[in-house]
């Protein structure tokens, strides 16, 4: 039994056949995956996404801001340029240049940058090189991790494509998704791309609910303009929150119980799995 279906539906369809040779059953995080696996003769069960249990259905923005020591009523932007070295190299300068534009335009804007420990020094270097005045730097906080409090506190999120986009969606925040990689790698990946979307929230909703800026489109100017709209358009933010609330409900399941039931069926214990003797 394999927990977490590889994303063969996004980039690598050949992985489905490999999965069929390696596992009898797949426990899926997303509701559309079992039907796709069934096309390849692979049994699967949707068990929900564990993050949907971690993130509250109604995040408390005020409490998150208080916990982070934020003051004032100005807008808050969370900037998440990735957690790997290659992402920091390709994305952090673009993201922080966009944030610098927004800080120059908005005197009350506060920017939060959650940093995983392994990339904190690299992010600090990029931040030091960003075109920011002393006053603007005082409105930027490089956090020790704390990505979830940052998203909860934010009015909008500028985020690298990846799991963090799903976290931002579960926090019901409008976001701008960006991604840039080595051009040769992108040329290879683009040939394998099976979906019109790259960001998980858009894939799961089947629509461009939030904007994506990929590769050549991922410029500081484009990111700044789109993020400004995300901060300013309260009507669109409410619509995005509505879509993401439904997505949250779709992913919210009792994952341990559903996984246990599916494993019991694979083992032929479905009729007795609830009894103490079966557990023994």
């Amino acid at each position: 039994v394999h927990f977490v279906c590889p994303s063969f539906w996004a980039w690598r369809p050949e992985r489905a056949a490999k999965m069929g040779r390696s596992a009898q059953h797949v426990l899926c995080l997303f509701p559309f995956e079992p039907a796709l696996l069934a096309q390849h003769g692979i049994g699967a069960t949707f068990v929900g996404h564990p993050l949907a249990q971690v993130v509250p259905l109604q995040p408390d923005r005020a409490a998150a801001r208080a916990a982070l020591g934020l003051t004032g009523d100005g807008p808050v932007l969370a900037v998440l340029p990735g957690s790997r070295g290659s992402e920091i190299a390709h994305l952090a300068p673009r993201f922080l240049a966009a944030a610098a534009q927004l800080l120059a335009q908005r005197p009350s804007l506060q920017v939060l940058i959650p940093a995983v420990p392994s990339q904190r020094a690299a992010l600090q270097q990029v931040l030091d090189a960003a075109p920011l005045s002393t006053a603007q730097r005082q409105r930027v906080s490089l956090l020790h991790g704390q990505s979830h409090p940052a998203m909860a506190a934010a009015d909008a999120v500028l985020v690298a494509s990846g799991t963090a986009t799903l976290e931002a969606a579960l926090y019901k925040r409008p976001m701008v998704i960006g991604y840039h990689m080595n051009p040769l790698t992108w040329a290879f990946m683009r040939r394998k791309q099976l979906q019109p979307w790259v960001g998980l929230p858009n894939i799961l909703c089947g629509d461009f609910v939030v904007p994506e800026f990929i590769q050549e489109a991922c410029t500081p100017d484009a990111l700044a303009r789109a993020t400004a709209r995300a901060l300013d358009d309260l009507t669109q933010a409410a619509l995005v929150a509505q879509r993401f609330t439904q997505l949250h409900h779709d992913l919210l399941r009792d994952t341990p119980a559903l996984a246990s039931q599916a494993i019991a069926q694979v083992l032929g214990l479905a009729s007795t799995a609830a009894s103490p003797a079966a557990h023994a």
Side-chain angles (χ1 to χ4, degrees), residues 272-280:
T272 57
S275 69
H279 291 297

mmCIF file of all heavy atoms in Angstrom, residues 272-280:
data_model
loop_
_atom_site.group_PDB
_atom_site.id
_atom_site.type_symbol
_atom_site.label_atom_id
_atom_site.label_comp_id
_atom_site.label_asym_id
_atom_site.label_seq_id
_atom_site.Cartn_x
_atom_site.Cartn_y
_atom_site.Cartn_z
ATOM 1 N N THR A 272 -13.578 -7.783 9.888
ATOM 2 C CA THR A 272 -13.213 -7.945 11.310
ATOM 3 C C THR A 272 -12.303 -6.861 11.820
ATOM 4 O O THR A 272 -11.833 -6.900 12.946
ATOM 5 C CB THR A 272 -12.512 -9.305 11.516
ATOM 6 O OG1 THR A 272 -11.356 -9.346 10.643
ATOM 7 C CG2 THR A 272 -13.442 -10.454 11.172
ATOM 8 N N ALA A 273 -12.045 -5.840 10.981
ATOM 9 C CA ALA A 273 -11.040 -4.841 11.339
ATOM 10 C C ALA A 273 -11.413 -4.083 12.598
ATOM 11 O O ALA A 273 -10.535 -3.585 13.304
ATOM 12 C CB ALA A 273 -10.844 -3.854 10.192
ATOM 13 N N ALA A 274 -12.697 -3.992 12.921
ATOM 14 C CA ALA A 274 -13.099 -3.194 14.076
ATOM 15 C C ALA A 274 -12.990 -3.963 15.382
ATOM 16 O O ALA A 274 -13.121 -3.386 16.452
ATOM 17 C CB ALA A 274 -14.532 -2.702 13.896
ATOM 18 N N SER A 275 -12.756 -5.272 15.336
ATOM 19 C CA SER A 275 -12.752 -6.074 16.561
ATOM 20 C C SER A 275 -11.379 -6.072 17.218
ATOM 21 O O SER A 275 -10.359 -5.964 16.538
ATOM 22 C CB SER A 275 -13.145 -7.519 16.262
ATOM 23 O OG SER A 275 -12.113 -8.149 15.508
ATOM 24 N N PRO A 276 -11.296 -6.192 18.548
ATOM 25 C CA PRO A 276 -9.998 -6.234 19.230
ATOM 26 C C PRO A 276 -9.129 -7.381 18.736
ATOM 27 O O PRO A 276 -7.922 -7.261 18.623
ATOM 28 C CB PRO A 276 -10.369 -6.390 20.706
ATOM 29 C CG PRO A 276 -11.756 -5.831 20.823
ATOM 30 C CD PRO A 276 -12.413 -6.177 19.520
ATOM 31 N N ALA A 277 -9.750 -8.530 18.445
ATOM 32 C CA ALA A 277 -8.982 -9.681 17.982
ATOM 33 C C ALA A 277 -8.283 -9.375 16.664
ATOM 34 O O ALA A 277 -7.143 -9.782 16.427
ATOM 35 C CB ALA A 277 -9.898 -10.886 17.812
ATOM 36 N N ALA A 278 -8.964 -8.627 15.795
ATOM 37 C CA ALA A 278 -8.359 -8.303 14.500
ATOM 38 C C ALA A 278 -7.140 -7.414 14.701
ATOM 39 O O ALA A 278 -6.107 -7.603 14.052
ATOM 40 C CB ALA A 278 -9.379 -7.593 13.614
ATOM 41 N N HIS A 279 -7.250 -6.433 15.616
ATOM 42 C CA HIS A 279 -6.115 -5.553 15.859
ATOM 43 C C HIS A 279 -4.962 -6.325 16.481
ATOM 44 O O HIS A 279 -3.803 -6.041 16.228
ATOM 45 C CB HIS A 279 -6.530 -4.381 16.755
ATOM 46 C CG HIS A 279 -7.450 -3.421 16.094
ATOM 47 N ND1 HIS A 279 -7.082 -2.676 14.988
ATOM 48 C CD2 HIS A 279 -8.743 -3.067 16.350
ATOM 49 C CE1 HIS A 279 -8.085 -1.913 14.596
ATOM 50 N NE2 HIS A 279 -9.105 -2.135 15.402
ATOM 51 N N ALA A 280 -5.277 -7.320 17.323
ATOM 52 C CA ALA A 280 -4.229 -8.132 17.946
ATOM 53 C C ALA A 280 -3.489 -8.946 16.894
ATOM 54 O O ALA A 280 -2.305 -9.197 17.006
ATOM 55 C CB ALA A 280 -4.824 -9.030 19.015
#
